[in-house]
Amino acid sequence: MTADSLVTTVSGRIPEDEVLGLLRADDESGRATKLIAQLFHDPAHKTCVGISGDNGLVLYLFPSHSQEINFEEWTRDDHCGDWGPDPWGHRAGVEVADRLLTALAPHYAAFWNGEKATAVHLAPSEPPYPGTVRIEPLVTQASAETA
């Protein structure tokens, strides 16, 4: 199905600008995913780019398997104080998030609650749930001139 035929098919049910926005977001999501694969070492596939309800891009960073297990054990344990200052590996998640955001910084801006996102925002804080931030492609001078 082509984009034109999709827009024609749903016309009257879904506004054309919403369909086109979704198609643009899908294209940008694919570009972001490819860029992450090139710039960020992720053999466990813990990163993902999704599309939000308003056709924005969302970057997900999932916890590692060991973080999930340690978090589960830590939350079930009655003596949480014996686990040390980083009981389930949150700092490791912050380090991974920092590397990912640094790799994407020349290409995408990251936001959390409308503010510039940090590695702490992206790092998973409640395994098994991922950390999430919104990302937006940066418009470079060259691409703005060609538009």
Side-chain angles (χ1 to χ4, degrees):
M1 178 175 272
T2 67
D4 288 339
S5 65
L6 176 64
V7 171
T8 303
T9 302
V10 299
S11 68
R13 293 181 286 162
I14 302 172
E16 181 179 329
D17 60 332
E18 286 187 37
V19 175
L20 295 174
L22 178 58
L23 293 172
R24 280 192 287 276
D26 184 58
D27 287 345
E28 190 59 44
S29 172
R31 282 191 288 275
T33 299
K34 288 176 186 172
L35 186 65
I36 289 170
Q38 292 172 353
L39 300 176
F40 183 71
H41 181 67
D42 185 22
H45 305 289
K46 295 295 181 180
T47 60
C48 175
V49 178
I51 301 171
S52 66
D54 63 356
N55 293 334
L57 297 180
V58 180
L59 176 62
Y60 296 94
L61 178 61
F62 290 86
S64 69
H65 184 65
S66 63
Q67 286 173 321
E68 288 185 45
I69 291 171
N70 289 341
F71 185 81
E72 185 177 327
E73 291 295 320
W74 177 62
T75 56
R76 285 194 291 172
D77 198 352
D78 291 336
H79 50 284
C80 291
D82 296 338
W83 282 75
D86 190 22
W88 55 270
H90 184 254
R91 284 189 195 136
V94 171
E95 290 170 8
V96 170
D98 185 54
R99 288 194 311 271
L100 177 56
L101 289 175
T102 300
L104 289 178
H107 310 278
Y108 289 88
F111 299 95
W112 187 80
N113 283 346
E115 301 292 323
K116 182 179 178 187
T118 67
V120 172
H121 296 129
L122 180 56
S125 59
E126 290 187 37
Y129 304 106
T132 61
V133 298
R134 290 183 68 101
I135 59 172
E136 295 177 6
L138 296 176
V139 178
T140 63
Q141 188 72 1
S143 63
E145 290 172 1
T146 59

